[in-house]
């Protein structure tokens, strides 16, 4: 019987020729990731196991990105715990703040995750790497500790939902963010619970790698275990210059078993906005234009990549942001930041009246640098708009793509890019 | 393999209770259980720790624990005094994290819908049987697979793995 790409990856890492949905397997891990919030707890648990050394010091990545550069003394302590553990274990992949970036932007960029990998991360958006045809999923700190100790972890082979995205969008501002918001709007925040979301179709082939990473990133927002898409020439082009080890491409068989197939035609899709307080509460941007805003955030592991900054800069260039609005731009990695400096994007943002920060999660999870007061509203290119996610429990977050965020920054309300670019 | 029966009073929450609602990110600069418990579900159930009796049971709707992978969420619930959870369904990372820290999370759609706030329950996590002692009704929740029972009876994944590691060498 045919297998999906997710089943093939899991089978290969479990030393099996075949697996089927529902089966429990022990899979070998190619990479294990944690950050300054989940890492300290994982380290504490690791130390209880009674093993001195991690399974492979080349395969563990610790990134201080959530509350780093440290926002307070407690966060500083957590960052220090990451650093001390990395030193003690002599880990190859610990990066000081300023030299890395947001984990899910940084790992693909550095070639640390590759097609066909099995990756776990103590961060729910670890599913991002499915954009490069890897199996990657978020786990908690205890699973991470076990992964660091043993280099393998049990998984229940998920059922796969196939999402076929057909057509070419007529609206030039429609991006991968809008595709994934449309999918979540359609299936709901638990529509893919415990499952794999496999994205295929013309719209996926036409999407850049940045856009694919954005889509896979938000698979968790539909409850999925992982999001994945086939590797093609763009994928290979992206990893070829970055990879320092071999990779393997797995394609789904024609007769693979899917729990469901959903077809979406993107031809007439408009930019999407997810209203508070769930990513599934989507509307066309044109139906959201009455919402007045106080803040705009352009960044995060969803939309902090080069292409995202580029489109935002193209809209803000030579203009001033609305006098009542704070705009915070956060490049996803040091490399993107540096390119934004070299190519003049930072100047465009600062001239327009925005704040530009070193790469960090910052306000995305309500950490720091852009916390919302009671009653304030933000348009953010991030991935979650839960109650209190970016600050006060009575503040609101509207999720959108970077072009919508930039247009909204200029008009002081949710705006469609056509309103400011003719 | 025995899992002890649990008895406690019901606290209810609705559908899609996310990890930010369970424990907001601004508290994630610390990881001690008692600190996290003090802010557990603070928007939905203010001053929870002052009111929960050790052993009480949290009953939720669909997709409980959706959102982030923060293990701080089940840790906060455990340290707030809850002995177990009953829900229509759970987000998968939350579910795994709860088992890993030795907190039984029972899937029981009918019970989750019908049971009322304040009811006194007796729960057998080994069999999934839930008795509503207030209403004298019994519900059958899903039983855990054998290896999860082993993890839960060991008190969580770390003690469970520690034993395995000992046998490996
Ligand atoms: S940018 Fe936001 S969603 Fe992404 S890892 Fe950081 S906190 Fe999580």
């Amino acid at each position: 019987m045919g297998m999906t790409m997710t089943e093939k990856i899991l089978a290969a890492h479990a030393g099996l020729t075949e697996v089927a949905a529902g089966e429990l397997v022990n899979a070998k891990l190619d990479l294990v990731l944690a950050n300054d919030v989940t890492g300290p707890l994982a380290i504490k648990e690791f130390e209880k196991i009674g093993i001195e050394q991690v399974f492979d010091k080349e395969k563990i990545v610790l990134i201080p990105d959530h509350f780093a550069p440290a926002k307070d003394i407690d966060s500083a302590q957590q960052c220090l715990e990451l650093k001390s553990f990395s030193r003690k274990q002599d880990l190859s992949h610990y990066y000081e703040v300023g030299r890395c970036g947001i984990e899910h932007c940084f790992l693909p960029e550095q070639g640390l995750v590759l097609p066909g990998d099995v990756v776990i991360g103590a961060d729910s958006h670890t599913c991002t790497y499915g954009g490069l045809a890897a199996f990657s999923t978020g786990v908690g700190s205890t699973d991470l500790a076990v992964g660091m100790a043993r280099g393998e972890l049990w998984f229940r082979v998920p059922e796969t939902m196939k999402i076929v995205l057909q057509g070419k969008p007529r609206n030039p501002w429609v991006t991968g963010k809008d595709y994934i918001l449309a999918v979540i709007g359609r299936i709901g925040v638990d529509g893919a619970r415990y499952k794999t979301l496999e994205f295929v179709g013309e719209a996926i082939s036409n999407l850049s790698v940045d856009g694919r990473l954005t889509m896979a990133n938000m698979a968790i927002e539909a409850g999925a275990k992982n999001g994945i898409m086939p590797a093609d020439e763009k994928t290979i082009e992206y990893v070829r210059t970055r990879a320092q080890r071999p990779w393997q491409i797995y394609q789904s068989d024609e007769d693979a078993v899917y729990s469901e197939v959903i077809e979406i035609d993107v031809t007439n899709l408009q930019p999407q906005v997810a209203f508070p307080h769930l990513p599934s509460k989507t509307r066309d941007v044109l139906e959201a234009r009455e919402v007045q805003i106080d803040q705009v955030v352009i960044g995060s592991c969803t939309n902090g990549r080069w292409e995202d900054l580029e489109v935002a800069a193209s809209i803000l260039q030579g203009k001033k942001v609305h006098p009542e609005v704070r705009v915070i731009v956060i490049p996803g990695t040091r490399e993107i930041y540096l390119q934004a400096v070299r190519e003049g994007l930072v100047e465009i943002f600062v001239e327009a009246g925005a704040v530009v920060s070193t790469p960090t999660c910052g306000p995305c999870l309500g950490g720091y640098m852009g916390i919302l007061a009671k009653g304030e509203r933000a348009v953010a290119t991030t991935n979650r708009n839960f109650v209190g996610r970016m600050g006060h429990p009575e503040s609101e977050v509207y999720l959108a793509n970077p072009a919508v965020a930039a247009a909204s920054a200029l008009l002081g309300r949710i705006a469609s890019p056509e309103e400011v670019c003719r | 393999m025995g899992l002890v029966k649990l008895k406690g009073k019901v606290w209810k929450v609705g559908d899609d209770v996310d990890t930010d609602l369970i424990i907001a990110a601004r508290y994630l600069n610390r990881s001690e259980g008692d600190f996290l418990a003090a802010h557990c579900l603070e928007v939905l159930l203010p001053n929870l720790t002052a009111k929960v009796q050790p052993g009480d049971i949290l009953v939720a709707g669909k997709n409980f624990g959706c959102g982030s992978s923060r293990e701080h969420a089940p840790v906060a619930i455990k340290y707030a005094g809850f002995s177990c959870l009953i829900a229509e369904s759970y987000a998968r990372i939350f579910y795994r994290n709860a088992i890993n820290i030795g907190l039984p999370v029972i899937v029981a759609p009918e019970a989750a819908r019908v049971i009322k706030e304040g009811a006194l329950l007796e729960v057998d996590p080994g069999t999934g049987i839930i008795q509503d002692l207030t209403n004298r009704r019994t519900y059958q929740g899903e039983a855990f697979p054998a290896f999860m029972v082993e993890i839960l009876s060991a008190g969580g994944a770390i003690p469970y793995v520690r034993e395995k590691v000992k046998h490996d060498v």
Side-chain angles (χ1 to χ4, degrees), chain A residues 65-66 102-104 123 125 300-302 361 364-365 383 389:
Chain A
D65 58 357
H66 276 59
I102 302 171
E103 50 200 283
H104 311 308
D123 191 280
H125 293 103
S300 87
C301 59
T302 314
C361 297
C364 170
L365 82 164
N383 45 41
R389 173 78 176 175

Side-chain angles (χ1 to χ4, degrees), chain A residues 119-137:
Chain A
V119 180
I120 61 163
D123 191 280
S124 59
H125 293 103
T126 301
C127 55
T128 306
Y129 317 130
L132 289 177
F135 172 86
S136 59
T137 190

Side-chain angles (χ1 to χ4, degrees), chain A residues 24 37 41 44-45 48-49 51 67 72 74-75 78 122-124 137-143 150 153-154 189-190 193-194 225 365 384 386 389, chain B residues 16 18 20-21 25-26 28-31 43 63 67-72 89-90 92-93 95-97 100-101 147-148 157-158 161-162 165 168:
Chain A
L24 292 171
V37 163
L41 202 50
K44 201 154 72 178
E45 296 305 314
K48 289 183 200 158
I49 295 177
I51 285 186
F67 297 155
D72 55 26
D74 287 327
S75 311
Q78 299 200 142
D123 191 280
S124 59
T137 190
V139 299
S141 294
T142 298
D143 273 333
R150 296 171 71 84
L153 198 65
W154 69 267
V189 288
D190 67 346
R193 222 167 33 86
Y194 289 93
K225 180 173 205 151
L365 82 164
R384 288 193 177 135
F386 298 155
R389 173 78 176 175
Chain B
D16 299 321
D18 60 73
D20 284 84
L21 277 172
R26 62 182 171 283
L28 301 185
N29 53 2
R30 293 177 52 184
S31 58
V43 174
N63 202 25
S68 105
S69 68
R70 61 190 69 160
E71 202 161 295
H72 311 66
S89 62
Y90 301 90
R92 59 161 286 276
I93 307 179
Y95 183 86
R96 220 174 144 127
N97 286 348
N100 280 344
I101 65 161
F147 83 105
M148 281 191 204
I158 296 297
V161 172
R162 193 167 51 216
V165 168
D168 280 359

Side-chain angles (χ1 to χ4, degrees), chain A residues 133-168:
Chain A
F135 172 86
S136 59
T137 190
V139 299
S141 294
T142 298
D143 273 333
L144 197 95
V146 173
M148 287 200 294
R150 296 171 71 84
E152 60 174 45
L153 198 65
W154 69 267
F155 298 96
R156 186 182 154 277
V157 178
E159 296 174 311
T160 299
M161 260 170 105
K162 183 159 153 180
I163 309 282
V164 189
L165 294 174
Q166 300 290 20
K168 273 202 182 83

